[in-house]
Structures are given as structure tokens and as C-alpha cells.
Amino acid sequence: MSDRPLLLLDVDGPLNPYGARFIRPRGYVTRRLRPSDWLARQAPGSRLHRRGLRVRLNPGHGARLMALPYQLAWATTWMHDANEMIAPVIGLPGDLPVIEWPELFVRDPEGLYWKTRHVMAWAAGRPFVWVDDMITDLDVRHVAAHHDAAALLLPIDPRRGLREQDFQELERWARDL
Ligand SMILES: [Mg+2]
């Protein structure tokens, strides 16, 4: 298993298409969740604090992801809350490895996305695909120049989340590796 490439998963964007604000996309369910990072940024006693964050998730995604020839890991601000709160809804095991960010949303001196250097360090020379809605061309170029193995940065539209074509791309990339 461990010779499989890594598939690093962001939650908000790829799994929770938060950009689809008014219409629940087909196949998705709505949950109110209270992840610790989000909770820390809400005023205690506020309506949102009480109700929780609205999250849309596709219960079919876990099986689709597990069927891919990758080793899955979380690359999200949800960190361990992803195993606890997201995994049971979409049907993933609750013990996937988690990238632990030392700090969230830290501005990068070269303008990279704040996760990028941590993702590369965590992958530690292994091939990986990273699905996230905030990846830019700068990150793609940086990883291509500095990562010692194959890597694919797959930007996901947060209005749509992971789509059929993304699953196909993930299949293809692993096969061609
Ligand atoms: Mg995101």
C-alpha cells in the first residue's frame, strides 16, 4: 500500500462545494458541523456558533476515493476534525493521516499558497496528487521545480467540488505514473 502515490484531500472546495451557495448540488447532503478552527473564529453565543457551519457533502465520495489507487491523507484546516466529522458522512475510514499545519493562513514570502511548502515537506519526496480549490499557477511551478517526485496539483472549483472528470484524471495519473 505504501508504494501508492499520496492523494492529499482538502475539504472546503473539493468535498464541500461551498461556492454553490444557494443550491444544494445533486447527490449532496447538508450537515451543520462545528470544526474547532471554525468555532474558534465565531463569537461565542452567536447564532452561527450555536447552529454550526453548513457543510455539503456527497455520501458517495468516500467509496469513489477508496477505489482509487492512492494512499489518502487530509490536507485541510479541518485537520483531525476531518476524520471525526467529514469521514463518517462521506464513507471514509476515520483514521486517515492528517497534515498538521503549525499555523493556518500564514502569508508566504514568495506568494505561494500557505499550505504548499507544508504539503511538499509532508510528502517527503513521494509522488502525490493534491486536490484543493486555492492552488495557483505559482504553486504548480514551485512544486514542479522543487519536489523530487511526480506531483499533480489539481485545482477544484469550489462551486462544483470534485467532479467525474476529476476522478478520471486521478485514475489516469496514477496509472501513468
Ligand atoms: Mg479549500
Side-chain angles (χ1 to χ4, degrees), residues 10-14 16 18 75-77 113 115 131-134 158:
D10 180 27
V11 168
D12 296 310
N16 168 32
Y18 64 86
T76 166
T77 57
Y113 179 23
K115 289 181 181 175
V131 293
D132 195 294
D133 59 308
M134 302 287 277

Side-chain angles (χ1 to χ4, degrees), residues 72-109:
L72 306 180
W74 294 113
T76 166
T77 57
W78 288 66
M79 289 198 270
H80 294 277
D81 289 338
N83 274 326
E84 195 183 313
M85 301 177 185
I86 303 295
V89 182
I90 66 174
L92 283 178
D95 59 353
L96 294 182
V98 174
I99 301 182
E100 293 177 329
W101 322 106
E103 264 187 283
L104 307 182
F105 313 117
V106 177
R107 194 173 166 278
D108 184 86

